C-alpha cells in the first residue's frame, strides 16, 4: 500500500518514543510505501482535489536516540512532490491523521479538508468527522456507567457546590493536553475560588469537575483500542513524587500492565461502538475502575508497551489499516 501520514514535522520526531514513528517502521517492514505531509500543507481549489506537498520517505537503520532533544536523522527522502506539484490525497491507499493536539481551529479546519478528501475517494483514519464529534474529555459523558461523579459547567457556583458534595475534586479545562491546567482541591477547599476563576474565566470557559480518584497513585492507565480490539497491555502512567498527574508529559512513569477484568469490560463495551464510527485507533484513559478520557486525535504509548512486553502494537495497527482498506482481509486478531 501507499500510506500517507499527516503529522507534525518529521524533523521534530523523538524516535525513541514517538508512536507515529513506530507506525511508519511497521508499515515499511510490511512492504508498504511511507509518505508524509503536514496538516498546514493541505489545500483545495474548485475544480480540483485536496492536495498536499508530500514526501515519500525511507526509514534508515539504526534510529539513534539523537541529540539532547531526542531528534535524530532517521529518514531519507526518496521523492518530494513539492519540487513538481502537490499530490491528491485520493491517490493513497490510506491517509493516517497523526497531527498532535491541541485540537485548535487549524486542526478543526484540517478535519474538514480531510473530509473533503474522503468525498473524493480517500480513506482517512481516524475518520475526520469522528475526530470532530469526539472531544476527548466530553466523550465520556456518553458512557456514564463507567465514569466517576462528573460535572461539566461554566457556572462557578455549580462547580463550588460539586466540591462541597464530593470534598476532594479534580478541576480541568476541556482543551488541555498532557495534564496541563489540572488542579486538585482537597477537603479544606484551599484556593477553590481562585482555581475556579482561573479555569472558567468568570463564566467564559466550560470546566470539567470530577471526584478525585485515589487509585491514581497506581497509575492513569492508557488502554489502546485498535479496530475496536483492546491491546492486551495497558500503559499505566504513574505520578512521581508529589505530582497528582500521571501524564508522561508531566513526568509520569510509564509501566506496561496486563488489562484487568474491569479494563476489559470498559474496552470491550466501547471498542465496537467507537470502531463503527470510524475510530480505528483510540486511547482510553482509566483510573482505578473509572473511565476518565477517550483520546482519538493522536493516541500514543505504542513504543513503551512494545519495549516492555514485546507485543507488536504498531504491527497490529498497520494490520488494522490493511483490513480497513481491503475489507475482505481478516480483521485484527484479538490478543
Amino acid at each position: 500500500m501507499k500510506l500517507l501520514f499527516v503529522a507534525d514535522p518529521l524533523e521534530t520526531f523523538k524516535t525513541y518514543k514517538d508512536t507515529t514513528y513506530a507506525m511508519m517502521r511497521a508499515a515499511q517492514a510490511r512492504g508498504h510505501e511511507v509518505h508524509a505531509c503536514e496538516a498546514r500543507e493541505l489545500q483545495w481549489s474548485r475544480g480540483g482535489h485536496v492536495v498536499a506537498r508530500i514526501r515519500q520517505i525511507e526509514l534508515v537503520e539504526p534510529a539513534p536516540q539523537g541529540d539532547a532533544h531526542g531528534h535524530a536523522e532517521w529518514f531519507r527522502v526518496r521523492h518530494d512532490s513539492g519540487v513538481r506539484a502537490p499530490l491528491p490525497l485520493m491517490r493513497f491507499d490510506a491517509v493516517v491523521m497523526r497531527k498532535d493536539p491541541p485540537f485548535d481551529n487549524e486542526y478543526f479546519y484540517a478535519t474538514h479538508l480531510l473530509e473533503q478528501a474522503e468525498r473524493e475517494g480517500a480513506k482517512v483514519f481516524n475518520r475526520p468527522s469522528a475526530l470532530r464529534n469526539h472531544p476527548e474529555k466530553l466523550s465520556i459523558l456518553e458512557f456514564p456507567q463507567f465514569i466517576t461523579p462528573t460535572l461539566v459547567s461554566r457556572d462557578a457556583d455549580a462547580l463550588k457546590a460539586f466540591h462541597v458534595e464530593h470534598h476532594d475534586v479534580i478541576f480541568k479545562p476541556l482543551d488541555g493536553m498532557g495534564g496541563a491546567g489540572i488542579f486538585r482541591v482537597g477537603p479544606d477547599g484551599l484556593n477553590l475560588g481562585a482555581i475556579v476563576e482561573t479555569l472558567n474565566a468568570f463564566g467564559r470557559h466550560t470546566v470539567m469537575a470530577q471526584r478525585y480518584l485515589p487509585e491514581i497513585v497506581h497509575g492513569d492507565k492508557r488502554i489502546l483500542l485498535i479496530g475496536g480490539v483492546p491491546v492486551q497491555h495497558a500503559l499505566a502512567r504513574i505520578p512521581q513524587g508529589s505530582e497528582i498527574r500521571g501524564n508522561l508529559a508531566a513526568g509520569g512513569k510509564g509501566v506496561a500492565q496486563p488489562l484487568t477484568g474491569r479494563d476489559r469490560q470498559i474496552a470491550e463495551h466501547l471498542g465496537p461502538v467507537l470502531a463503527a464510527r470510524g475510530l480505528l485507533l483510540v486511547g482510553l484513559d482509566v483510573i482505578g475502575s473509572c473511565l476518565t478520557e477517550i483520546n482519538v486525535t493522536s493516541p500514543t504509548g505504542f513504543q513503551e508497551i512494545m519495549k516492555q512486553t514485546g507485543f507488536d502494537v504498531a504491527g497490529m495497527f498497520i494490520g488494522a489499516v490493511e483490513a480497513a482498506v481491503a475489507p475482505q482481509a481478516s480483521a485484527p486478531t484479538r490478543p
Side-chain angles (χ1 to χ4, degrees):
M1 297 191 300
K2 295 173 64 175
L3 300 182
L4 173 62
F5 292 83
V6 182
D8 289 314
L10 301 180
E11 292 77 10
T12 68
F13 278 28
K14 296 181 179 180
T15 55
Y16 65 94
K17 68 175 184 177
D18 192 280
T19 288
T20 305
Y21 169 78
M23 292 175 175
M24 291 176 170
R25 290 210 68 81
Q28 181 170 288
R30 294 167 81 109
H32 303 308
E33 290 184 10
V34 177
H35 302 253
C37 72
E38 297 177 36
R40 64 182 178 87
E41 295 172 316
L42 299 173
Q43 61 182 35
W44 178 89
S45 60
R46 192 179 69 170
H49 302 287
V50 176
V51 300
R53 173 180 175 262
I54 291 167
R55 293 185 288 178
Q56 181 183 353
I57 64 170
E58 179 182 3
L59 281 66
V60 296
E61 293 277 10
Q65 183 161 327
D67 60 23
H69 302 288
H71 305 149
E73 295 295 330
W74 55 271
F75 68 94
R76 66 171 62 98
V77 178
R78 298 189 62 181
H79 176 75
D80 187 342
S81 73
V83 301
R84 296 180 181 175
L87 295 176
L89 272 61
M90 59 182 290
R91 290 189 185 177
F92 295 86
D93 295 292
V95 178
V96 182
M97 177 52 160
R98 289 292 300 176
K99 172 71 181 72
D100 284 343
F103 194 110
D104 54 14
N105 283 341
E106 289 303 324
Y107 194 109
F108 177 77
Y109 303 146
T111 66
H112 280 287
L113 287 170
L114 290 171
E115 190 169 17
Q116 174 61 24
E118 280 188 321
R119 288 189 283 267
E120 297 165 2
K123 295 185 178 181
V124 184
F125 308 100
N126 284 327
R127 184 171 294 159
S129 59
L131 289 174
R132 292 196 303 273
N133 291 338
H134 292 81
E136 299 187 330
K137 291 182 174 61
L138 291 177
S139 291
I140 65 171
L141 307 188
E142 184 180 352
F143 307 101
Q145 68 271 39
F146 297 124
I147 70 176
T148 187
T150 298
L151 171 71
V152 179
S153 178
R154 289 191 190 187
D155 186 88
D157 290 337
L159 293 166
K160 293 174 183 176
F162 185 86
H163 177 266
V164 170
E165 179 181 1
H166 295 287
H167 311 296
D168 201 350
V169 172
I170 294 292
F171 293 96
K172 53 188 175 183
L174 296 182
D175 59 353
M177 63 177 190
I182 292 178
F183 293 89
R184 177 186 178 186
V185 180
D188 59 7
L190 188 64
N191 288 329
L192 173 61
I195 288 170
V196 169
E197 290 169 6
T198 297
L199 291 177
N200 88 332
F202 298 95
R204 294 195 300 274
H205 298 156
T206 303
V207 176
M208 175 174 280
Q210 294 180 302
R211 186 174 67 188
Y212 174 71
L213 296 167
E215 296 92 340
I216 184 61
V217 298
H218 303 299
D220 179 355
K221 291 176 287 187
R222 167 62 54 84
I223 301 171
L224 294 168
L225 301 176
I226 298 176
V229 176
V231 173
Q232 60 188 352
H233 283 81
L235 184 69
R237 288 82 52 88
I238 301 173
Q240 300 297 293
S242 61
E243 182 60 72
I244 63 167
R245 301 169 299 174
N247 309 73
L248 299 184
K253 179 182 179 182
V255 178
Q257 300 176 349
L259 299 186
T260 67
R262 176 63 167 179
D263 294 339
R264 288 194 177 277
Q265 181 188 15
I266 295 171
E268 291 174 0
H269 182 90
L270 271 65
V273 174
L274 299 176
R277 298 173 184 174
L279 293 168
L280 188 71
L281 174 61
V282 175
L284 306 178
D285 288 352
V286 173
I287 299 174
S289 62
C290 294
L291 176 69
T292 59
E293 287 191 20
I294 300 174
N295 296 272
V296 301
T297 52
S298 186
T300 61
F302 279 30
Q303 292 214 52
E304 291 85 353
I305 294 174
M306 292 166 69
K307 290 173 182 175
Q308 294 181 40
T309 70
F311 183 79
D312 188 3
V313 185
M316 180 179 175
F317 174 75
I318 296 300
V321 174
E322 293 168 347
V325 170
Q328 69 276 14
S330 59
T333 37
R334 184 176 300 277

